[in-house]
């Protein structure tokens, strides 16, 4: 259903579309370094497991490589949620990028 990686643009577009359908999408900080201009959630397995079933967790690190490599671990830990890695991680995030309705 979902790919293993999303670019920032895919994240923004999919977040908007999914949340319009009532599906929660969270950008998960795995490196204790929030992204400026983005609403991030600190990686806390206990708290994340409480999120509604079917929620989408988009994990990020500095470059996206570590979260992509650990994606299998995240999927095992959160089997009721969708786990995705943010391509390029924090380093490729553009604060001013937005998406508009067509």
């Amino acid at each position: 259903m979902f790919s293993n990686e999303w670019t920032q643009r895919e994240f923004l577009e999919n977040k908007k579309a999914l949340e319009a359908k009532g599906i929660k999408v969270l950008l998960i900080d795995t490196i204790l370094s929030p992204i400026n201009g983005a609403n991030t959630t600190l990686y806390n397995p206990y708290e994340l497991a409480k999120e509604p079933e079917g929620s989408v967790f988009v994990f990020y690190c500095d470059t996206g490589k570590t979260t992509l490599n650990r994606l299998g671990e995240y999927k095992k830990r959160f089997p009721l949620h969708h786990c995705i890695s943010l391509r390029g991680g924090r380093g490729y995030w553009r604060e001013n990028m937005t998406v508009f309705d067509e």
Side-chain angles (χ1 to χ4, degrees):
M1 182 173 185
F2 295 104
S3 62
N4 285 334
E5 277 188 306
W6 281 355
T7 63
Q8 179 183 357
R9 181 178 179 162
E10 289 170 321
F11 167 76
L12 295 172
E13 290 172 344
N14 290 328
K15 178 177 174 64
K16 190 173 195 175
L18 291 169
E19 289 186 344
K21 296 177 183 177
I23 299 170
K24 195 168 184 181
V25 179
L26 299 170
L27 186 58
I28 310 296
D29 176 358
T30 65
I31 54 173
L32 301 175
S33 187
I35 295 175
N36 292 335
N39 184 17
T40 62
T41 301
L42 189 61
Y43 179 67
N44 179 332
Y46 177 75
E47 292 298 323
L48 289 174
K50 295 178 183 178
E51 293 295 337
E53 184 175 333
S55 294
V56 178
F57 299 158
V58 181
F59 298 92
Y60 75 88
C61 59
D62 286 319
T63 65
K65 290 181 182 178
T66 302
T67 51
L68 184 58
N69 289 339
R70 294 182 68 192
L71 200 57
E73 174 187 329
Y74 297 138
K75 288 180 179 187
K76 284 181 187 175
R77 183 165 284 191
F78 306 108
L80 302 177
H81 305 90
H82 304 283
C83 299
I84 299 168
S85 176
L86 182 68
R87 181 175 291 178
R90 186 176 189 275
Y92 282 87
W93 189 268
R94 302 297 172 248
E95 285 185 45
N96 297 320
M97 181 182 279
T98 57
V99 294
F100 300 98
D101 293 329
E102 297 201 17

